[in-house]
Amino acid sequence: SHDVFSEELTRQLEEMPVMMRGMSSYEHWIDGAYLITGVTEDTLDDDKPFSLPLTDQNALDALRERLQGSGEDLGITVNGVNPREVASALRDLKAPATLCMAEPEKNSGDDHVTAVNLSRVVSLDSVPKPLLVTSAVEAVRRKYPGADQVEISHFKGGPCDERNIVSCLVPGGARAGWTVVPDIQEAVQLAHSRAVRRCEAQGNFGGGQTVRLTGLQARKDLNGQVGLAVKFAEASGRWTVRMQDGEGKQVTLGAACAESGQVRPVNLEAAENGGPNGRVMVFWGDARWSRTQLLGEIARGHWGLCRASVGDIAADSKKRHANLAGRLAFAPVTEMTESFMKEAQRQMTVFRSTGLVASTGAGADEGDDD
């Protein structure tokens, strides 16, 4: 969400009566950092073709008066009649008759977009159904001892269906660097499976763990960067690490450490809160738009878009919104832009212009000819 949009919602929220604040969805949007988890085609039953029997001439005449345009415009078909000639065919139609309403053309604007907020973390004690979580973990633990060590964090995912778990995100995986699943039990099992140590050569790291590169010689620019350990190839002794830009790097591990008997990683180190035993992000509720609705909100300046990265998953939840600064693409100012967004843009333009003039003046006083 745009900073100005968040500030405006905060201002409106503060002016609301206390009782109305709980009914408002504003808190879901303020400083929101949403990950789009799905785009599905609209399959509502009212989009299907249907037949309209007309047994009474008066009903047919009344309908004829309301209908205007050609058959293509109306979505009406008449057997053996050119769609452009349906209007004249309707004029000649006599009851009893049956009108067949054609199936409307597919419109991607009606597609459903779902997303979850990565920035509103909450404790297990405050979720609507904590017993559901503990039961799911226990069910997996009975099959896979050690699964109860998987780290689970909970989020207010959005204003829709917020009393239920709508999706879970498991870091790791060879494609994007994370996997979204609908069921918490499935998510815990997947996280445990990725994190389990299958061989000594992989070191003290598990799949899906947040790691930091260190000690690289050929690519010293990567040292200190954070990524996700995705997959270990035992044959080559290398981890594939998914970096923040989505690129996969293969990192070699070193020889055994004589003191501990463990494999000592040469080019990897565990990042803080990295989830060495697997991690699951649980989302209670989500946000839902039609594609047209979301594009309208983007056009008004409420939201910016960028490609998600493993850096967004690995980041501290409180920093996810701020970390998007400089990456988001916002719609240009048009007649659709909210007035408060336009005013903020105007003020920023004046501020930058003033700053530029002051900088130029200081340079002239110092005799800088460059």
Side-chain angles (χ1 to χ4, degrees):
S1 59
H2 198 291
D3 288 343
V4 175
F5 177 55
S6 295
E7 291 169 1
E8 174 65 17
L9 292 185
T10 301
R11 183 190 66 79
Q12 294 184 22
L13 195 64
E14 291 173 348
E15 294 177 354
M16 285 184 185
V18 176
M19 292 184 63
M20 291 186 62
R21 294 178 188 176
M23 302 170 60
S24 168
S25 63
Y26 284 10
E27 290 184 347
H28 288 286
W29 313 129
I30 295 171
D31 294 334
Y34 280 82
L35 174 71
I36 293 178
T37 55
V39 179
T40 56
E41 183 179 334
D42 180 27
T43 56
L44 293 178
D45 291 341
D46 57 6
D47 283 346
K48 296 180 179 179
F50 67 95
S51 297
L52 177 64
L54 296 165
T55 57
D56 182 73
Q57 186 64 37
N58 291 331
L60 176 59
D61 292 340
L63 178 64
R64 237 188 322 240
E65 291 180 5
R66 291 178 175 272
L67 296 178
Q68 301 291 333
S70 68
E72 290 179 316
D73 298 329
L74 301 172
I76 299 175
T77 60
V78 177
N79 289 339
V81 178
N82 187 307
R84 296 184 180 280
E85 299 175 357
V86 166
S88 60
L90 282 174
R91 286 193 296 269
D92 300 332
L93 194 63
K94 302 294 183 183
T98 300
L99 293 182
C100 298
M101 312 305 290
E103 181 179 5
E105 294 184 3
K106 297 296 182 182
N107 183 354
S108 62
D110 294 328
D111 290 348
H112 301 290
V113 181
T114 57
V116 292
N117 194 351
L118 301 176
S119 61
R120 296 195 70 195
V121 66
V122 294
S123 66
L124 176 61
D125 294 337
S126 63
V127 303
K129 301 174 182 177
L131 184 59
L132 175 66
V133 178
T134 55
S135 298
V137 173
E138 177 60 22
V140 180
R141 188 197 65 79
R142 286 197 296 266
K143 295 173 61 178
Y144 305 99
D148 56 347
Q149 299 301 309
V150 171
E151 297 177 14
I152 301 177
S153 52
H154 299 270
F155 295 80
K156 290 186 176 182
C160 301
D161 202 13
E162 55 188 324
R163 290 194 57 81
N164 293 303
I165 297 173
V166 297
S167 60
C168 302
L169 185 149
V170 182
R175 299 188 64 183
W178 63 85
T179 304
V180 177
V181 297
D183 179 70
I184 184 172
Q185 188 169 324
E186 178 186 355
V188 172
Q189 183 172 325
L190 177 61
H192 173 68
S193 174
R194 286 178 174 172
V196 70
R197 276 58 169 171
R198 291 181 168 82
C199 65
E200 186 179 9
Q202 72 182 77
N204 194 28
F205 296 100
Q209 182 176 353
T210 304
V211 295
R212 183 176 290 103
L213 301 187
T214 181
L216 295 175
Q217 298 301 316
R219 290 294 305 274
K220 293 183 178 181
D221 58 302
L222 295 176
N223 288 329
Q225 289 195 21
V226 171
L228 286 178
V230 174
K231 185 178 181 180
F232 180 73
E234 187 174 358
S236 63
R238 292 174 178 264
W239 271 102
T240 296
V241 178
R242 185 72 62 186
M243 306 305 295
Q244 294 190 26
D245 59 3
E247 185 178 359
K249 301 291 184 185
Q250 288 192 331
V251 182
T252 304
L253 299 183
C257 175
E259 291 80 8
S260 63
Q262 297 180 338
V263 175
R264 179 176 60 85
V266 171
N267 299 121
L268 290 179
E269 63 182 17
E272 185 178 359
N273 300 321
N277 299 307
R279 283 180 296 168
V280 174
M281 299 166 67
V282 178
F283 297 97
W284 298 82
D286 58 12
R288 302 169 190 175
W289 301 266
S290 70
R291 189 191 297 263
T292 301
Q293 180 186 5
L294 179 57
L295 289 175
E297 294 186 16
I298 292 171
R300 290 195 291 273
H302 298 175
W303 301 96
L305 293 174
C306 70
R307 184 181 181 87
S309 76
V310 296
D312 301 316
I313 306 302
D316 184 280
S317 61
K318 297 179 181 179
K319 299 179 180 179
R320 286 190 175 118
H321 181 266
N323 287 350
L324 295 173
R327 292 171 52 199
L328 295 171
F330 289 94
V333 176
T334 66
E335 63 275 5
M336 291 188 66
T337 307
E338 295 271 22
S339 57
F340 63 84
M341 301 291 296
K342 289 182 178 179
E343 176 60 20
Q345 181 72 16
R346 186 192 67 79
Q347 292 179 8
M348 182 59 68
T349 300
V350 172
F351 174 79
R352 288 173 176 168
S353 176
T354 303
L356 179 61
V357 170
S359 176
T360 303
D365 290 341
E366 294 173 4
D368 188 354
D369 296 329
D370 293 336

